[in-house]
Amino acid sequence: MDFTHFNDDGKAYMVDVSEKNKTKRVARAFGKIKVSQEVISKLINREVEKGDVLGTARIAGIMAMKRTSDIIPMCHSIFMSGCDMDFKILEKENEIHIFAEAKTIGETGIEMEVLTGVSVAALTIYDMCKSIDKRMVISDIHLLSKTGGKSGDFKF
């Protein structure tokens, strides 16, 4: 088996994508955080002491998408033509669902950016609500879909 992120000497390196065609690429990711009823109530009533939790998580997720190549070692720097975060509070389930979407026109995919955005948004929610309840559980982070590129489209 050939590993794409190791050179002939077995040393890690960034794959050269300069010969690949530029295509329009879109990726979407999902994750969720299970919280207590108290956290849900305080979020809905805007009573979390640290401020606007979901607004801050949105900004953190977008910032994380823009900086993904700084924290994932072999990830390429990608010009994003657009990105967004969305949240859905499920009161009965005590869950916050997190969605990220990013777009680019380039030689490589943008999946890592949306996965990073969802992860950091969930961590931000945890950080801002941990004084209320530390038993929150972050889970189900995964790629929902991606379009473009050599490998074609993917839908979970």
Side-chain angles (χ1 to χ4, degrees):
M1 173 185 273
D2 290 330
F3 294 103
T4 59
H5 285 78
F6 293 97
N7 65 17
D8 293 338
D9 297 326
K11 295 178 181 168
Y13 81 111
M14 183 184 286
V15 173
D16 180 3
V17 296
S18 61
E19 299 299 317
K20 291 175 76 177
N21 292 327
K22 287 186 177 188
T23 61
K24 181 178 181 185
R25 299 164 186 264
V26 178
R28 297 188 73 236
F30 170 84
K32 68 181 178 183
I33 183 165
K34 181 88 168 168
V35 301
S36 67
Q37 181 58 51
E38 183 180 8
V39 169
I40 290 288
S41 177
K42 286 185 182 269
L43 278 173
I44 291 171
N45 295 314
R46 298 186 174 268
E47 296 172 345
V48 178
E49 285 183 21
K50 290 190 176 183
D52 179 6
V53 174
L54 298 185
T56 304
R58 176 184 317 281
I59 293 167
I62 290 170
M63 289 174 65
M65 284 192 270
K66 292 167 54 177
R67 302 292 302 263
T68 299
S69 65
D70 290 339
I71 59 175
I72 307 291
M74 302 305 162
C75 195
H76 293 86
S77 296
I78 294 178
F79 171 78
M80 282 190 290
S81 54
C83 66
D84 198 9
M85 303 285 310
D86 197 20
F87 302 91
K88 183 175 181 182
I89 296 174
L90 283 73
E91 273 186 83
K92 290 180 183 174
E93 294 84 355
N94 293 335
E95 293 178 352
I96 303 162
H97 288 192
I98 306 164
F99 300 89
E101 180 179 276
K103 299 176 182 179
T104 189
I105 297 176
E107 300 86 359
T108 192
I110 198 158
E111 298 92 349
M112 294 309 299
E113 284 70 14
V114 292
L115 290 165
T116 300
V118 166
S119 300
V120 170
L123 290 168
T124 301
I125 294 167
Y126 188 99
D127 180 51
M128 293 185 75
C129 297
K130 69 182 184 267
S131 64
I132 303 165
D133 185 4
K134 292 175 179 49
R135 293 171 292 179
M136 294 174 277
V137 176
I138 296 168
S139 66
D140 295 332
I141 296 170
H142 63 277
L143 185 67
L144 289 174
S145 63
K146 76 103 181 163
T147 60
K150 184 179 173 183
S151 66
D153 295 350
F154 166 82
K155 188 166 182 145
F156 188 83

